[in-house]
Amino acid sequence: MLVEVAVAAAVRGTFTYRVPPALAAEVTLGQRVAVPFGRSRRATGYVVGFPAAPPDGHALREIVEVLDPFPPFTPALVQLIRWAEKYYLVPPGELLRAALPPGLNARRGAQGPARRGVEYAAAEPGAIDALPSLGRAPAQRAVLEYLLARGRIPLEELRRAFPHGRPALVALARRGAVRLDRETKVARTGVLAAGAEAPALTGAQAAALAEIEAASGSFATFLLHGVTGSGKTEVYLHAIARARAAGKGALVLVPEIALTPQLSGRFRARFGDDVALLHSGLSGAERHAEWLRLRRGDARICVGVRSAIFAPVQDLAVVVVDEEHEGSFKQDDGPAYHARDLAVVRGKLEHAVVILGSATPSLETLENARKGRYRRLELPRRIDDRPMPRVELVDLRRLRQAGAELAPGLLSPRLVDALGETIAAGQQAILFLNRRGYETLVACEACGEEARCSQCALALTHHARRGILLCHACGRTERMDARCPSCGGARFGVGVGTEQVEHAVRARFPDARVARLDRDSVTGAGDTAAMLARFARRDLDVLVGTQMVTKGHDFPGVTLVGVVLADTALALPDFRAGERTFQLLAQVAGRAGRGADAGQVLVQTFHPATRAVARAVDHDYGAFAEAELEDRRRHGWPPFGRLLAVRVEGSESAAPRAAEALARLARPALRGEVSLLGPAPAAIERLRGKTRWHLLFRAAAPQPLFRIHAVLAPLASRPPGGAEVRFDMDPQSMM
Ligand code: ADP
Ligand code: ZN
């Protein structure tokens, strides 16, 4: 017997091993195994196939051990990973590793946290009925009889009773007669009772649900397009409730759980312990415990972030991707897969309904809906017909021309007035600025030299409270000396960050309760949740923050949202800059006026006529998307063209040399159907001491890009000068 094994390491391709007869009964698709790898090294691998014949000319080695009583991956997940491996040009082992909770990845299984808990075995209810059919499997019969007599027992006891009983036990588990589980010492946080009341759906919600229902049982993808607060989440909850009533499972992907405790809370409140959460705020052991509950079918609904696309939900019937436009579904480093797009693939593999929800769908998804590939469902109005907040532009250009004083904090007189009124009325305000720190640039008055990171091609940000200059890319700090290190001249800072806004608001409104939410003010998920809870309890009047304040929070007390500067993302060298700006503005505006009182949004900008800003002010997604798609079509950008980014990193000399070498190799293969942009230095040319170059390949469809990859792969795995090359299919980041 032969098996194809993906090794959990950054190596391309898979390897064939022989299965020793003693292990043959235990090896199934998706099983985790220990294999000899390289020179005497033992590695963890996963069984991803059963080849009929060995590859030519290789002496095959044998797998050493089967590491789990049941395979961590279902056959459908193995298929999904193999699909992702080919599409995203990622070594399968890397994907498999990313797909599992940390405990299961330990190279030697016995040492990982996965093995720490006590393992138990028990006969399943009704297993006694299996006894007559075990006449020709005496070992299985003996083990099952023992378990029927003893109930749930530690595996250790069974090992002592049946020293050679493991294959029999595994066979019993596979036929569903025996359950194997493991008790970790993890206390699961707050066991919730299900059953929070579901509201009666509005007409639009009911119509959307009816269409989803009609498609259930087979594969279909829906775009659920609804403005913020239109009741999308309620539609997900209903669709999942129906699946659950039919004994089926559901997977809900969200961009970020720590920032949206309300959302996961609603799922827990409705479905109780049937929900397993998977996100990075959990400890490894907690994640492992949640993962096991899904794998065993004890929890049928998974709510998780990007990597939860690989969660072992059983009998999957509904896949939801909330805020499908969010960039965080695509990983930048490590295996560069897009969880939203994989959600559609998984739905297809498992015959599930896929719901992509957003107030501002990505143009890729919109175009798929326009072409009829996805079905579009609309929730055009907010619940209870609450009005969309009124959005007003504050033209900073004109204010500056009129000589108005904008610093500190870039607070315009209009914004100060609105803040004053909001605070006086006992209501709450959110101020959003997508820049951390006090001043975003520090330079010398005398020689003009800017403070830059020695390792990255980036200006340092002044963080006043800590008294430091900080590199936001690599985290290096320098002392904030008042004098220029080159000439001794006096230095000054420009550019406003959230710390300065917070400072300015406090100075203006000394009695107001003001807090800041960004990566400097909170560390970890617990902190973030605590601050959001304070704001929700109305212990705070004003919350200043980065995009952490824009997420799907539902704060009924918020009547004012101020966008301190709408333009921060506009100038980025990225064809999605406009789309990102529109999405952020729509998202943050949606935080206002969710309660009984109407909301108002003030958007400060130096570019009031820019499409993204102007259309966000009108709440006109349709007009924005229409015009933006036209531009994309004209320039061949996605969704009308496909991109493959090749990212090269290395020494100052090696990176450009490797990039040029790759370009030379690729050019004859372009054949008029692929265009090559670059090679060129990346927008952030130096990062953590490494020089970065990019090549961007563009074609009308993915196939020619795979061809380019095949041409480049041999060189990419051994580029000159020790550079590193990464392929990124459908790149989201152009930096
Ligand atoms: P979205 O996900 O589109 O932002 P939500 O589902 O969160 O919208 O709904 C917004 C608010 O309206 C929430 O407080 C939710 O509980 C409430 N809501 C949603 N649907 C209904 C309904 N049919 N009846 C009453 N309230 C609802
Ligand atoms: Zn740096």
Side-chain angles (χ1 to χ4, degrees):
M1 181 178 174
L2 302 175
V3 284
E4 185 182 3
V5 172
V7 176
V11 288
R12 298 201 169 265
T14 54
F15 303 86
T16 304
Y17 289 88
R18 209 181 283 288
V19 181
L23 295 179
E26 294 184 50
V27 172
T28 47
L29 196 65
Q31 188 70 265
R32 201 168 63 113
V33 292
V35 292
F37 189 69
R39 220 175 285 152
S40 81
R41 222 178 88 209
R42 204 176 117 133
T44 302
Y46 300 87
V47 177
V48 296
F50 295 96
D56 294 340
H58 279 288
L60 293 186
R61 296 203 264 179
E62 289 193 339
I63 62 172
V64 180
E65 192 188 344
V66 173
L67 293 172
D68 303 288
F70 46 73
F73 294 104
T74 58
L77 280 175
V78 172
Q79 267 184 289
L80 180 70
I81 283 166
R82 304 233 70 184
W83 191 95
E85 162 200 351
K86 293 189 179 75
Y87 185 85
Y88 292 108
L89 311 166
V90 175
E94 265 186 42
L95 281 167
L96 289 156
R97 206 159 36 160
L100 287 179
L104 274 173
N105 288 318
R107 190 153 285 147
R108 282 171 299 277
Q111 289 180 356
R115 291 267 150 164
R116 246 183 247 134
V118 180
E119 288 177 282
Y120 287 90
E124 290 280 12
I128 195 161
D129 297 333
L131 275 180
S133 65
L134 293 176
R136 271 184 289 162
Q140 288 184 45
R141 193 184 165 95
V143 169
L144 183 56
E145 276 172 344
Y146 187 84
L147 285 174
L148 284 167
R150 296 277 296 118
R152 182 165 174 269
I153 56 163
L155 216 51
E156 193 47 42
E157 177 186 333
L158 199 66
R159 275 198 204 108
R160 281 196 305 269
F162 299 91
H164 305 290
R166 190 174 164 86
L169 182 67
V170 170
L172 284 167
R174 202 168 313 136
R175 63 198 306 159
V178 165
R179 152 177 301 210
L180 298 167
D181 61 7
R182 179 177 287 134
E183 217 158 73
T184 54
K185 297 202 185 60
V186 182
R188 300 205 344 90
T189 44
V191 177
L192 281 159
E197 286 275 315
L201 295 182
T202 63
Q205 285 173 320
L209 185 67
E211 283 211 41
I212 295 168
E213 275 297 297
S216 76
S218 59
F219 166 63
T221 305
F222 294 92
L223 162 58
L224 180 60
H225 181 197
V227 295
T228 51
S230 60
K232 295 184 293 295
T233 308
E234 204 51 57
V235 173
Y236 310 151
L237 288 164
H238 274 78
I240 292 169
R242 302 222 176 157
R244 183 171 176 252
K248 306 274 179 140
L251 172 60
V252 182
L253 297 180
V254 296
E256 167 74 83
I257 285 190
L259 282 175
T260 50
Q262 287 174 334
L263 182 81
S264 40
R266 273 166 82 182
F267 281 87
R268 292 298 290 272
R270 197 71 59 86
F271 303 124
D273 248 4
D274 223 2
V275 176
L277 295 180
L278 287 177
H279 61 95
S280 54
L282 301 176
S283 71
E286 286 169 327
R287 247 194 291 177
H288 186 233
E290 290 292 79
W291 186 92
L292 268 181
R293 292 203 309 127
L294 289 166
R295 182 65 188 88
R296 291 195 305 242
D298 292 345
R300 278 173 297 174
I301 300 164
C302 173
V303 179
V305 295
R306 180 180 54 226
S307 63
I309 183 61
F310 301 112
V313 176
Q314 313 289 303
D315 290 320
L316 186 66
V318 179
V319 184
V320 171
V321 184
D322 189 34
E323 311 287 2
E324 66 82 28
H325 62 274
E326 282 276 343
S328 62
F329 287 122
K330 176 76 191 273
Q331 181 134 325
D332 265 349
D333 10 85
Y337 60 87
H338 201 310
R340 174 200 62 212
D341 297 342
L342 280 186
V344 176
V345 176
R346 185 163 179 187
K348 193 167 184 180
L349 288 171
E350 305 201 35
H351 312 290
V353 168
V354 182
I355 309 171
L356 310 179
S358 177
T360 53
S362 66
L363 296 180
E364 284 84 353
T365 295
L366 180 68
E367 183 60 15
N368 275 323
R370 290 181 3 151
K371 283 205 295 245
R373 220 179 284 165
Y374 300 169
R375 288 188 240 166
R376 192 164 176 175
L377 306 170
E378 304 261 4
L379 299 179
R381 270 181 292 282
R382 281 184 156 184
I383 293 293
D384 294 338
D385 273 330
R386 257 167 236 157
M388 291 301 282
R390 197 164 47 79
V391 184
E392 185 183 320
L393 272 182
V394 178
D395 186 344
L396 296 178
R397 233 178 13 175
R398 207 177 298 155
L399 278 177
R400 188 181 274 167
Q401 283 160 4
E405 177 67 61
L406 289 175
L410 215 56
L411 301 181
S412 66
R414 179 77 188 89
L415 185 51
V416 171
D417 286 349
L419 269 174
E421 284 163 23
T422 304
I423 296 167
Q427 292 163 335
Q428 293 176 295
I430 288 176
L431 291 183
F432 161 62
L433 174 63
N434 215 7
R435 281 179 184 162
R436 299 148 57 203
Y438 195 85
E439 289 155 332
T440 53
L441 187 76
V442 172
C444 171
E445 252 171 31
C447 72
E449 188 174 293
E450 294 168 5
R452 295 191 155 268
C453 178
S454 60
Q455 298 298 302
C456 310
L458 284 175
L460 295 171
T461 298
H462 178 208
H463 288 252
R465 195 159 53 179
R466 293 171 65 194
I468 54 162
L469 295 173
L470 175 69
C471 174
H472 284 179
C474 73
R476 284 172 78 89
T477 58
E478 286 178 21
R479 269 193 26 241
M480 171 61 191
D481 282 317
R483 298 270 143 196
C484 172
S486 300
C487 75
R491 294 207 284 185
F492 65 98
V494 291
V496 176
T498 44
E499 190 185 0
Q500 189 178 141
V501 175
E502 179 199 9
H503 193 84
V505 174
R506 284 184 196 281
R508 285 282 192 155
F509 303 100
D511 297 330
R513 297 163 301 171
V514 182
R516 171 162 55 93
L517 180 62
D518 59 27
R519 275 198 285 145
D520 305 303
S521 67
V522 291
T523 52
D527 260 15
T528 307
M531 181 167 302
L532 291 171
R534 268 173 74 201
F535 194 58
R537 280 200 311 269
R538 304 181 81 147
D539 286 350
L540 294 169
D541 302 308
V542 183
L543 188 63
V544 178
T546 52
Q547 54 191 337
M548 290 171 85
V549 302
T550 69
K551 304 298 167 185
H553 317 300
D554 195 2
F555 301 120
V558 173
T559 54
L560 173 67
V561 165
V563 177
V564 177
L565 186 61
D567 315 341
T568 52
L570 277 177
L572 297 179
D574 184 335
F575 66 90
R576 290 193 182 91
E579 184 181 2
R580 297 249 161 76
T581 299
F582 182 90
Q583 286 161 350
L584 263 178
L585 292 177
Q587 183 96 39
V588 68
R591 298 316 107 212
R594 295 175 74 95
D597 300 308
Q600 114 170 284
V601 182
L602 293 180
V603 176
Q604 305 197 124
T605 176
F606 286 105
H607 303 280
T610 304
R611 179 191 298 151
V613 175
R615 294 291 83 77
V617 168
D618 307 338
H619 300 294
D620 198 343
Y621 170 82
F624 171 78
E626 213 49 53
E628 199 74 8
L629 277 176
E630 212 28 67
D631 283 359
R632 299 270 183 98
R633 189 194 303 277
R634 210 168 37 244
H635 295 109
W637 290 121
F640 302 102
R642 293 302 188 99
L643 300 178
L644 169 63
V646 182
R647 307 181 189 278
V648 185
E649 265 190 33
S651 71
E652 205 173 338
S653 62
R657 199 146 51 88
E660 296 289 357
L662 289 165
R664 268 197 306 279
L665 194 58
R667 277 188 197 107
L670 299 177
R671 294 192 207 149
E673 54 178 4
V674 181
S675 52
L676 166 57
L677 297 103
I684 300 175
E685 193 180 342
R686 243 163 78 80
L687 192 63
R688 294 184 194 91
K690 287 200 177 149
T691 298
R692 308 164 75 230
W693 278 60
H694 286 175
L695 296 86
L696 197 58
F697 294 95
R698 186 167 62 189
Q703 283 72 27
L705 298 175
F706 296 142
R707 193 165 53 67
I708 298 294
H709 169 259
V711 170
L712 297 184
L715 181 62
S717 63
R718 243 177 253 276
E724 264 178 60
V725 178
R726 279 202 317 115
F727 292 95
D728 185 359
M729 189 70 182
D730 298 338
Q732 288 290 308
S733 165
M734 297 291 121
M735 306 298 282

